[in-house]
Structures are given as structure tokens and as C-alpha cells.
Amino acid sequence: MQQPGREGMRSSIDFSCSDPKLTQAFQWAKEQALAYAFEGDPVGKWYEAALPGREAFCMRDTAHQATGAHFLGLAEHTYNMLYKFAVNISPSRDWCSFWEIDRHDRPAPVDYTDDTDFWYNLPANFDVLDCCYRQYCWTGDRRYLEHPVFLEFYDRTVDDYVRTWDRDGDGFPEWYPEYGRRGIASYHESDLHPKLAADLVAAQFAAFRSYAKIQRLRGEPGKAQAYEEKAKRIQEIYLRQWWDAARNRPYGALMHDGAFWKEYLPEFTIFPLYFGLVEPVDKRNAVIQWVLERGVGNIEMLSYLPEVLYRYGFDAAATSALYELTHPQLERREYPEVSFAAMGAFVMGLMGVSVGDGGATNPTAVSTLSHLPAYLRWAEVRSVPIKGNIISVRHEGQTATTLTNLSGPELIWTALFPSPGKYLVNGETVETTEFDLHGRNAYGAAIPVASGESVTVQLAL
């Protein structure tokens, strides 16, 4: 059920495809997400990213709704929200921020009493840092690279935050019973209370990797290399110490008695996939099959599933999950993460639109790869904002793609396809290059697309 925002937000992004039900699902997600966007409150521009009715946004939900929000034209809302988290990091809270901030620009009273008693999930700092890097990639907003508040947040998170919460000196934050709700070692909220959970390990890995990329963009190769190595070490530890070789499955958590938790829990299993921790491909596929066998357990984890499955090439399962996520009868479909995550899954997932950070020269470089399952003949997304450009992308199955640079400067488009062959660009043959896409092969070519130009790449039959 939609609850329209006070400002009546609008967005020009649009989507249609050969399945009217999926087209309708996109329209619902767009309208529902926009209904949660607000301006004019003391906190500034914001959107709901917490339990409906709290009139607030929390760190986890914001980090996972941000890309969908960007496609809706809410980049300034996201910037303001991430800034609020960054500016409120404090030594009095052991370098935590406020887990949840309400529209009155205060820590949400339901989660915060004072600096000695507040709710906090330890993956949060890492998740927000990783989100800031991704927002830079999509927006090109250099405030994420240059604003002193963000730089302080990044530096404190990868250093002071880790050291403060790492009581046993193993390099990972952990939870102890005396902490209570202040410093939970997972996004899994139950009476299990592990010392260290896999989703925290995965979020720390992603944060170190993104911090390294930020430092490389800032011209700090020494810092970049140091944290690339730290991220690699975390991944090596996970794959070596957290892998149950006998069952070919990962452990989910480290308990206080030193034993690993072996049972399936969605947060412990899906988040390592979401944050890109699980390599190589055979191990990752084993984890994905385990998830598909056991399910997601709650609406929050279902929100992330389509994006994860599309990223790793499980296109039919991903589209089924997207149908489920947007189905009118889905219980708790009004949870804000659902509509925002669906927006991300349509554009990044089904349509396979992605963007890099541009490196030192910062060109707008876009890639596309159709993830349309066999029963979808065509799909088109229009008016997608990417840095200073607005683009549209249309796929004809998985054999032809058209990109239109509706506005903005010339961009470089890498048109990717899942199979090798002879490809034509506007009717002329082009040589393709093989790409490694998350351990899978893709084939394509980099093509300049001028402002106002439309280019089609298709498999020659």
C-alpha cells in the first residue's frame, strides 16, 4: 500500500518489456519507492529506510537502497543521509555513528538512549563506506572523495573502529555478552549472539576493498595497496578457515566457545555473496545452490536475492525472485527495502547496466549485459542517470542491445554478450574482446556513443 510522500516526488525513469506483469511490477516499485521520499524536514532530504512508520533511515537499509534511489533521481537524498551517518561517527560511541536517524535529525529514540546504550550492528560502518564508493561510481560526485567529513569517516572506520571493537586482536570486530545491543556482530537479529558472523567479515572485506579504490582515486597508491592486501587477507581467511570442506559450504559464524556455526542462516550465507567475498566460482555456485535450496527466510534477505543472482548469472532464478519480490500478495511488500532494491535489480540486474569509477581520467564508462531469461523477448529501460549522462538501454533477448545517449557528454559503452561470435555495430562488423565477469566469460567491444546518438550491437546470424 502506497503512502505518498509530502512532496509528491517524480522520476523520469521508465521500463517496459514483453511481459506486462513485469512491466507493472516495475511501475509499482517506482511509485512505492518515490512515496517514501521526503524534503522539508529538519533532517533535510531523506527517504524511508527503516521499518515503515518510524519516519527514519538506518545505516543498513540506506546502504542497500542507495542504488535504486539513484536511478529514481534521489542522489541528493542519499548524499544527505550518508553525510548524516558520516558526520556522527564519534569516539564516545567507539567510532560508531547513529544506527538510525529520524526526520527530526536526531538518533531514533527507539534505538538510542545515550552513548553507552544504543542499538548497533557492527557491519554498518563498513556497509556505509562501501555504499559511498558505489555512489561515487554512479554519480561522479567528488564530495565522496574530497569532503573532509567523509574522509574522516573512511579513515576512522578502517582503523580506529576496527581496533576499538577487535578485543582479541585477530583483525576483526567482535561482540561480547556485556556489550548487550551495543555492537552486535551481525545483521542477523536473534538470540544466537555469535562472537563474529560471516556477514560482518564480508562487510569488512568490501569496505577495505572500496577504501583502497577511494585511495587510488585520490592519488594515494600506498594506502590503496595496503588495503587491497588487507582485503585479500580477509578473503583468504574466510576461504581457508570458514569453509567446511566436507560439506563444501561455508560456516556462518564463530561462536564464543571457539566452534563454528554450521547451520544455514540467510544473513550468514547471502551477505558474503552480496559483498563479493565468495570465490572461486565453484565455491560461489555451491553457496548459491544452498541458498536456492533453503530460501531466504525474511523479506529483507529476499530484497537482496535478485541482485545477487543476476550478478552471478543465475538469470532465470533471479527473475523468479524479482517476480516474488514485487508480487502484490507478498507479505510486508511495503517494507521500503523491497521497492528500492527492486529498482536496483531491474536496472543493474535484469538489464545488466553497470559503471566503473572511471579511474584517474574519470570518463563516463558504461557496460551492459542482458540477463533476460529465454521467455522475455525484449526489455527496455529509459532515462537512467549515470554521472552526467541520461541513457536508455534496450535488449532483444541476449543477442542485440541498443544504447541511446539521451543527454550528457560522449560516453564509452562496453556492450557485453554471454556468447562469442561475430557482432555488428550499426551493421558494421566489430571485433570483440573476452571479459572476465565475476569468473564467467562475456564478450564485447568498447564503443564511443556521442550525445544524442543511438547505437545498436547485435549478433550476426
Side-chain angles (χ1 to χ4, degrees):
M1 182 177 67
Q2 295 172 17
Q3 299 173 344
R6 292 187 293 274
E7 299 301 319
M9 298 294 173
R10 298 289 183 267
S11 173
S12 59
I13 192 170
D14 199 13
F15 171 87
S16 56
C17 70
S18 59
D19 183 350
K21 290 183 179 179
L22 201 58
T23 300
Q24 185 178 9
F26 178 92
Q27 294 302 322
W28 168 82
K30 173 183 173 178
E31 293 170 10
Q32 181 65 81
L34 287 171
Y36 286 125
F38 300 94
E39 296 180 7
D41 288 310
V43 79
K45 295 181 178 181
W46 68 286
Y47 47 80
E48 291 265 14
L51 288 169
R54 283 194 176 180
E55 297 186 322
F57 49 94
C58 77
M59 298 178 78
R60 185 203 68 181
D61 294 22
T62 300
H64 301 157
Q65 294 178 206
T67 306
H70 170 73
F71 298 141
L72 290 164
L74 300 175
E76 284 297 321
H77 290 64
T78 300
Y79 177 86
N80 179 57
M81 294 156 71
L82 294 175
Y83 178 89
K84 294 294 182 180
F85 294 133
V87 77
N88 281 300
I89 195 171
S90 171
S92 66
R93 290 185 290 278
D94 294 328
W95 303 111
C96 296
S97 181
F98 295 132
W99 166 255
E100 187 172 353
I101 298 172
D102 68 14
R103 70 182 183 89
H104 302 289
D105 200 16
R106 64 184 182 181
V110 69
D111 288 326
Y112 178 86
T113 303
D114 56 41
D115 282 2
T116 66
D117 180 17
F118 57 90
W119 181 280
Y120 212 77
N121 300 76
L122 288 175
N125 275 41
F126 300 133
D127 212 349
V128 167
L129 192 163
D130 182 53
C131 177
C132 289
Y133 169 72
R134 289 185 284 108
Q135 283 300 288
Y136 169 73
C137 291
W138 285 107
T139 65
D141 188 341
R142 293 196 63 84
R143 291 177 294 179
Y144 288 112
L145 303 183
E146 298 171 353
H147 197 296
V149 164
F150 281 100
L151 298 181
E152 173 85 355
F153 175 77
Y154 305 154
D155 291 345
R156 296 294 190 182
T157 291
V158 300
D159 188 355
D160 302 79
Y161 181 72
V162 174
R163 287 190 290 105
T164 300
W165 290 94
D166 177 23
R167 203 162 89 182
D168 65 4
D170 67 350
F172 298 101
E174 58 262 343
W175 176 87
Y176 293 93
E178 59 267 30
Y179 294 174
R181 63 177 186 164
R182 190 183 188 272
I184 302 165
S186 174
Y187 281 144
H188 178 70
E189 300 169 355
S190 73
D191 295 330
L192 185 62
H193 295 313
K195 178 181 178 182
L196 175 63
D199 57 322
L200 176 52
V201 174
Q204 185 176 350
F205 162 77
F208 282 10
R209 179 188 56 194
S210 290
Y211 181 79
K213 292 177 179 178
I214 289 169
Q215 294 308 318
R216 201 164 291 285
L217 288 166
R218 286 180 48 78
E220 297 283 353
K223 283 186 179 180
Q225 183 176 351
Y227 278 88
E228 286 166 357
E229 292 173 356
K230 287 176 182 285
K232 183 179 179 180
R233 175 180 174 272
I234 290 173
Q235 189 172 53
E236 289 172 347
I237 289 172
Y238 177 79
L239 295 174
R240 184 176 67 252
Q241 299 179 12
W242 287 63
W243 197 263
D244 184 348
R247 301 190 307 162
N248 195 30
R249 293 172 179 171
Y251 299 120
L254 179 64
M255 309 308 290
H256 284 272
D257 62 1
F260 279 106
W261 177 265
K262 296 183 179 182
E263 302 305 316
Y264 177 82
L265 278 173
E267 289 85 353
F268 296 170
T269 314
I270 295 174
F271 275 122
L273 295 167
Y274 175 89
F275 286 117
L277 180 62
V278 187
E279 301 287 354
V281 175
D282 59 341
K283 288 188 174 182
R284 186 175 67 220
N285 287 350
V287 178
I288 291 173
Q289 290 297 340
W290 197 25
V291 170
L292 293 175
E293 291 168 9
R294 297 300 302 272
V296 293
N298 56 60
I299 192 67
E300 294 88 344
M301 299 313 298
L302 177 60
S303 297
Y304 317 138
L305 189 62
E307 177 183 337
V308 167
L309 294 175
Y310 279 125
R311 184 192 308 168
Y312 298 125
F314 288 72
D315 297 345
T319 307
S320 295
L322 185 56
Y323 276 110
E324 181 182 359
L325 183 65
T326 55
H327 195 280
Q329 300 304 315
L330 178 68
E331 187 175 354
R332 294 183 67 209
R333 189 173 74 144
E334 74 280 2
Y335 193 92
E337 260 185 315
V338 173
S339 51
F340 282 91
M343 290 298 303
F346 271 105
V347 181
M348 291 189 302
L350 182 69
M351 300 301 292
V353 179
S354 63
V355 62
D357 60 33
T361 58
N362 200 29
T364 300
V366 182
S367 67
T368 60
L369 174 65
S370 171
H371 289 278
L372 272 60
Y375 54 84
L376 276 182
R377 300 189 308 277
W378 63 271
E380 182 175 6
V381 63
R382 296 171 289 278
S383 299
V384 180
I386 297 180
K387 296 183 178 178
N389 294 77
I390 304 293
I391 69 168
S392 292
V393 175
R394 180 183 175 94
H395 296 306
E396 304 289 340
Q398 295 191 350
T399 60
T401 300
T402 300
L403 184 142
T404 304
N405 185 4
L406 295 171
S407 67
E410 180 180 87
L411 56 80
I412 304 301
W413 171 37
T414 302
L416 295 172
F417 295 90
S419 58
K422 182 180 179 181
Y423 286 90
L424 304 176
V425 177
N426 288 345
E428 297 185 5
T429 304
V430 63
E431 287 191 20
T432 59
T433 302
E434 184 175 319
F435 293 82
D436 182 352
L437 197 67
H438 306 296
R440 297 177 293 115
N441 291 335
Y443 305 85
I447 304 160
V449 184
S451 182
E453 186 180 12
S454 184
V455 176
T456 298
V457 182
Q458 64 188 82
L459 180 67
L461 300 177

